[in-house]
Amino acid sequence: MVALRYISVCFFIFLISKINSQSLQEMEIEMAYHADVMVNASTPRHRTKAMDQFNTLFAQALAKEASFDFPFDSLKWISKKYPADMSFKIYTWEVKVADDEVKYFGVIQKKDGTTFTLKDDFKNAEGLADEEYSHENWLGALYYNIMESTTKSGQKYYLLYGLNKWSKYENVKLIDVLFFSKDGLPYFG
């Protein structure tokens, strides 16, 4: 009985160390598979399951030390944008979870390794022109362009061009402003 318990503990430790020692290249191969399924599977249930797997793996990959400089070239189904100053990267992706529902996901990764998970709250947003949004209530979109600029007072901000598939028959194109507070937190608007 003690031997079986010892073997179980050793196996569990082996699995944990295997997951932690997985290289970014190995993780990217697995993420590419899940990303392909979450975009191309014909069944919403399969897309949703792949989305959950991808989101977990991507968060683990971005937590690795060298991830900021890793290109993630095999992840062709997600948008990877960064400004000319390379101070951060913003990753966004969409998943059609039902015939009439698309979910948006995103992560901002700063050069120092800090990450901010973007939580889509577009459907609940009001007063879009006058509000600022944090990463906790982001206006979800798949970004296809980024432009860097500076205010007269010298604060950098970034224009993000994106698309949100609002409903089965409506798409919303948007231009959002991204800036970082003095504390380094991202804000939109």
Side-chain angles (χ1 to χ4, degrees), residues 13-24:
I13 291 171
F14 170 76
L15 284 178
I16 296 293
S17 66
K18 179 75 173 150
I19 290 170
N20 288 336
S21 68
Q22 199 175 19
S23 73
L24 283 169

Side-chain angles (χ1 to χ4, degrees), residues 5 35 48-49 61 75 94 104 117 151 160 180-181 183 185:
R5 192 174 285 169
T48 301
K49 176 88 172 160
L75 304 181
E94 64 184 10
Y104 289 88
T117 301
T151 64
L160 300 169
F180 292 91
S181 69
D183 297 331
L185 299 174

Side-chain angles (χ1 to χ4, degrees), residues 36-186:
D36 183 34
V37 173
M38 80 179 180
V39 171
N40 296 312
S42 59
T43 308
R45 180 173 42 96
H46 295 161
R47 290 191 299 266
T48 301
K49 176 88 172 160
M51 169 192 74
D52 292 339
Q53 294 283 8
F54 176 82
N55 291 351
T56 300
L57 280 169
F58 196 54
Q60 291 171 356
L62 292 180
K64 290 198 171 270
E65 193 172 319
S67 63
F68 187 83
D69 296 320
F70 193 78
F72 294 108
D73 288 336
S74 296
L75 304 181
K76 299 184 184 330
W77 303 269
I78 70 169
S79 169
K80 304 169 282 276
K81 300 296 175 205
Y82 49 88
D85 68 6
M86 289 295 291
S87 57
F88 70 93
K89 292 183 178 183
I90 186 165
Y91 302 95
T92 57
W93 59 98
E94 64 184 10
V95 181
K96 186 177 180 184
V97 294
D99 283 342
D100 59 348
E101 183 182 4
V102 177
K103 286 190 175 182
Y104 289 88
F105 300 89
V107 177
I108 294 175
Q109 182 183 35
K110 294 175 78 176
K111 195 167 186 82
D112 67 5
T114 306
T115 59
F116 301 95
T117 301
L118 304 177
K119 296 179 182 157
D120 182 15
D121 197 31
F122 203 155
K123 302 280 184 188
N124 299 319
E126 294 180 15
L128 296 176
D130 302 324
E131 293 293 323
E132 287 182 1
Y133 298 93
S134 73
H135 63 284
E136 294 289 333
N137 62 343
W138 164 66
L139 302 177
L142 184 66
Y143 293 130
Y144 56 86
N145 195 15
I146 186 170
M147 291 177 61
E148 184 178 332
S149 195
T150 309
T151 64
K152 289 180 182 179
S153 64
Q155 182 182 7
K156 280 190 181 180
Y157 66 92
Y158 308 89
L159 294 176
L160 300 169
Y161 297 80
L163 177 69
N164 179 298
K165 294 177 182 167
W166 184 258
S167 71
K168 192 172 186 174
Y169 302 105
E170 295 176 287
N171 293 333
V172 176
K173 283 189 173 182
L174 63 111
I175 300 173
D176 209 349
V177 176
L178 168 65
F179 64 96
F180 292 91
S181 69
K182 292 178 183 175
D183 297 331
L185 299 174

